[in-house]
Amino acid sequence: MSLQKCFEIILKYWPSFLLGIRTTLIVAISGTAIGLVIGLFVGGIRAIRLDKTSPVSLKLFKRFIDAVLKVYIEVFRGTPMMVQAVFIYYLVYTNIVHWDKMVAAIFVISINTGAYMAEIVRSGIQAVDPGQNEAGRSLGMSSGQTMMNVVLPQAIRNAFPAIGNELIVNIKDSSVLMIISITELMFQSNSIAGTTYRFTETYFVTAMIYLALTSISSVVLSRIERKLNHTRTSLPQSDTNAHSMAIARKGADYADN
Amino acid sequence: MPIIEVRNVRKSFDGMGVLRDICFDVEKGEVVCLIGPSGSGKSTMLRCINLLEDIDAGKITVLSEDISAIRDINAYRRRVGMVFQQFNLFANKNVLDNCILAQMKVLKKDRKSAQETAMEQLKKVGMADFAKAYPSTLSGGQKQRVAIARALCMEPEIMLFDEPTSALDPEMVGEVLSVIRDLANEDMTMVIVTHEMAFAKEVADKVVFMDNGIILEEGSPEEIFNDPKNERTRQFLSRVIKKEFVS
Ligand SMILES: Nc1ncnc2c1ncn2[C@@H]1O[C@H](COP(=O)(O)OP(=O)(O)OP(=O)(O)O)[C@@H](O)[C@H]1O
Ligand SMILES: [Mg+2]
């Protein structure tokens, strides 16, 4: 393998790589975001514990929904995304509508991610102190109101590292979506390698790009995480001078150094 | 008619009787202290009154309603405030938001009037200066005072306290008890589970001694503390009062 060849490939094919990066990011980011929304719904519903006094019909309905959701989660976590992609793409293409490949790719990665997110959200909810729920209920809030305003925000904050990890996984694993010929990074690399016959160099460049994308993402994610934790530990101060106090303290820390 | 009427209540967990034929009354404006050894069912009794647990047999009538027949549990809970041993402040909300959330969601107040009520109650418990602070930055005593203010914001007709000072460092017990004392002076109807015997003696109109799921003795603080009839009550009191002297 020659590094010089690597640079030549980058110089000549950077627009193709850039297009690949763009598609990969679009698919990974939207798939993670939509997957999170799916996960919040599915995980949230699965975490609901009905009151003992709820009507029997509601309890049966909940059981049924739980079973359906469980099947969804098991199927999508238990089969390769590459298989899911071709199967769903062709299933819809031949039976329903000639859909766009990009739409298909985002659809597949979203419901795949949703299955993982549902479990992340559910265990995040279960990790929240049950006393939080009881306090909400004892004030007269419904279980839905308590879930939305108290439990879920804490669950998301606790589960944030795992949620962010899904983005990183998706940046890498979206590469299997090349199977339905979207122009993501792996697909572009294949065609570059096919033209240049420089397989080692091309895929080395590809690997470095993936590494850069995932590294940048984890830096951004840990920044966000720190922000989230900051609000929880803000200083006890009256009114709005809490913020200026925080800044003043920061200044003092710097001065110490 | 008593504001809380507990009649022949039974409750068991996994076949183990935790409440075994409990009867007692709370009159309007009365302060009833529930005392007894650990595991005797005091928390379970309070939780049944607030419908956090349901009873196996018997009847609890609160505010002239049979609570097992209540349809709108949330509207009922709003009228019966509850304060927990572990405070249970909403960790994702600051002190002020802790106090306004349920006002807006349950009482459908707008933010401004909810804030006014909240600040008023926080002032009463001496926590107005901490309105913007998050629970994780407060001491135990401060958290418990906020939890009391939060419950009071719903304008409850009854307050239930489950060992409000048991999770506190000794130097913070006083500040919480003094808030509860103020409430007693305002004639709030209260049921207080407590291990603070001196406090019970001071604020209670009636003391109920529970042991092993049954009420062994009840009466005025003078009767229970100075002249307990039951041997078990005597043993229990001499044990906890000895402990109070030691600490
Ligand atoms: N949800 C539950 N499931 C099973 N057992 C329970 C449950 N809640 C309470 N118990 C049991 O019921 C008994 C009475 O508990 P309870 O909490 O009412 O006692 P307590 O008088 O409040 O005690 P303490 O002073 O320690 O708080 C205990 O033996 C406890 O283990
Ligand atoms: Mg208890």
Side-chain angles (χ1 to χ4, degrees):
Chain A
M1 190 186 99
S2 104
L3 273 184
Q4 199 195 334
K5 274 284 169 223
C6 290
F7 283 117
E8 282 174 26
I9 289 171
I10 294 172
L11 277 180
K12 186 151 178 215
Y13 293 101
W14 66 265
S16 307
F17 279 119
L18 223 51
L19 179 62
I21 292 170
R22 185 168 155 256
T23 309
T24 290
L25 286 180
I26 290 174
V27 170
I29 292 172
S30 50
T32 309
I34 300 170
L36 176 59
V37 175
I38 296 173
L40 287 174
F41 271 102
V42 175
I45 291 170
R46 269 165 62 80
I48 290 175
R49 291 277 162 272
L50 291 180
D51 289 340
K52 279 177 215 138
T53 49
S54 312
V56 179
S57 56
L58 188 65
K59 283 181 184 160
L60 282 176
F61 181 67
K62 170 78 166 75
R63 270 233 187 119
F64 171 73
I65 294 287
D66 279 349
V68 172
L69 296 178
K70 181 94 175 121
V71 169
Y72 156 64
I73 291 169
E74 292 303 320
V75 166
F76 278 88
R77 296 203 315 170
T79 56
M81 186 159 72
M82 198 184 240
V83 177
Q84 294 163 15
V86 275
F87 176 73
I88 292 174
Y89 176 66
Y90 287 112
L91 182 76
V92 173
Y93 193 90
T94 50
N95 293 308
I96 305 170
V97 62
H98 287 209
W99 58 343
D100 185 62
K101 290 189 171 106
M102 259 312 259
V103 176
I106 292 174
F107 179 79
V108 169
I109 198 170
S110 296
I111 48 175
N112 178 281
T113 307
Y116 288 92
M117 289 285 196
E119 290 299 90
I120 292 171
V121 169
R122 187 174 67 102
S123 58
I125 289 172
Q126 280 166 352
V128 173
D129 175 10
Q132 296 282 308
N133 181 55
E134 282 187 354
R137 301 308 302 280
S138 78
L139 291 166
M141 292 200 288
S142 68
S143 56
Q145 287 171 332
T146 310
M147 175 64 85
M148 292 307 290
N149 294 285
V150 178
V151 178
L152 212 47
Q154 293 181 49
I156 293 173
R157 175 143 49 188
N158 296 343
F160 188 81
I163 291 169
N165 190 50
E166 285 297 303
L167 174 64
I168 291 173
V169 168
N170 279 341
I171 288 174
K172 295 184 294 178
D173 286 5
S174 58
S175 57
V176 304
L177 296 172
M178 66 162 196
I179 195 82
I180 56 171
S181 320
I182 57 162
T183 58
E184 50 72 55
L185 186 53
M186 187 64 192
F187 182 86
Q188 296 294 81
S189 306
N190 284 348
S191 41
I192 294 167
T195 4
T196 58
Y197 287 102
R198 284 286 176 176
F199 292 94
T200 320
E201 284 83 2
T202 307
Y203 290 119
F204 179 72
V205 171
T206 309
M208 288 303 116
I209 295 174
Y210 273 118
L211 187 60
L213 293 180
T214 52
S215 308
I216 294 168
S217 306
S218 39
V219 170
V220 172
L221 288 168
S222 59
R223 284 253 171 97
I224 299 174
E225 196 185 331
R226 228 174 305 147
K227 268 239 175 74
L228 286 177
N229 288 338
H230 174 76
T231 55
R232 188 166 30 185
T233 52
S234 80
L235 298 167
Q237 288 296 326
S238 58
D239 301 320
T240 45
N241 64 14
H243 185 62
S244 52
M245 279 293 289
I247 292 170
R249 270 175 58 126
K250 225 184 200 167
D253 288 348
Y254 287 133
D256 284 348
N257 292 339
Chain B
M1 175 165 185
I3 199 165
I4 301 177
E5 203 179 67
V6 177
R7 285 290 171 274
N8 308 99
V9 164
R10 290 170 184 275
K11 165 90 188 163
S12 53
F13 288 112
D14 317 315
M16 202 190 63
V18 171
L19 300 179
R20 304 182 299 152
D21 204 26
I22 299 277
C23 298
F24 71 94
D25 287 344
V26 181
E27 301 292 336
K28 190 165 167 34
E30 204 174 33
V31 178
V32 173
C33 285
L34 225 54
I35 62 172
S38 183
S40 57
K42 306 178 300 292
S43 299
T44 307
M45 188 62 245
L46 277 199
R47 294 167 62 82
C48 288
I49 296 175
N50 202 24
L51 286 171
L52 287 171
E53 305 282 356
D54 40 28
I55 57 180
D56 299 338
K59 188 172 171 188
I60 302 177
T61 312
V62 180
L63 299 160
S64 342
E65 269 185 290
D66 175 358
I67 64 170
S68 59
I70 283 178
R71 287 266 172 71
D72 191 347
I73 292 182
N74 298 328
Y76 167 72
R77 288 209 181 107
R78 195 238 96 201
R79 303 170 70 190
V80 181
M82 176 116 178
V83 173
F84 302 87
Q85 182 175 350
Q86 296 299 337
F87 330 123
N88 294 344
L89 291 182
F90 303 138
N92 59 321
K93 304 212 171 280
N94 68 24
V95 166
L96 185 62
D97 289 340
N98 259 276
C99 294
I100 64 177
L101 180 64
Q103 290 190 66
M104 292 174 68
K105 298 292 170 189
V106 181
L107 304 178
K108 309 288 175 205
K109 288 201 205 172
D110 60 45
R111 177 173 293 274
K112 193 162 165 289
S113 77
Q115 267 174 0
E116 274 165 22
T117 309
M119 288 311 294
E120 208 174 286
Q121 295 298 344
L122 286 171
K123 209 170 281 165
K124 253 175 65 178
V125 301
M127 287 299 292
D129 284 348
F130 293 83
K132 287 284 182 330
Y134 277 82
S136 60
T137 63
L138 302 178
S139 74
Q142 291 173 326
K143 282 185 206 174
Q144 196 59 297
R145 285 187 281 149
V146 173
I148 295 171
R150 177 177 70 176
L152 291 175
C153 283
M154 305 306 285
E155 292 166 23
E157 286 149 82
I158 298 167
M159 286 284 284
L160 309 174
F161 292 84
D162 190 1
E163 301 195 27
T165 58
S166 294
L168 299 179
D169 292 337
E171 70 269 22
M172 291 166 186
V173 170
E175 63 193 61
V176 171
L177 292 184
S178 103
V179 167
I180 301 175
R181 190 179 293 120
D182 290 346
L183 280 175
N185 292 336
E186 290 169 21
D187 291 330
M188 173 65 84
T189 309
M190 296 193 277
V191 182
I192 307 171
V193 174
T194 184
H195 288 296
E196 300 287 334
M197 295 305 148
F199 179 70
K201 201 169 179 175
E202 175 200 334
V203 298
D205 297 303
K206 184 159 80 188
V207 176
V208 174
F209 174 69
M210 266 179 83
D211 185 23
N212 204 7
I214 49 178
I215 292 178
L216 282 186
E217 194 164 354
E218 67 169 89
S220 70
E222 291 74 29
E223 287 168 344
I224 301 287
F225 290 111
N226 300 346
D227 186 21
K229 302 275 177 298
N230 192 294
E231 182 55 30
R232 299 260 327 154
T233 320
R234 228 170 285 157
Q235 281 172 2
F236 172 75
L237 287 175
S238 68
R239 218 167 47 228
V240 289
I241 287 170
K242 223 181 273 159
K243 231 172 36 193
E244 269 179 14
F245 273 120
V246 172
S247 61

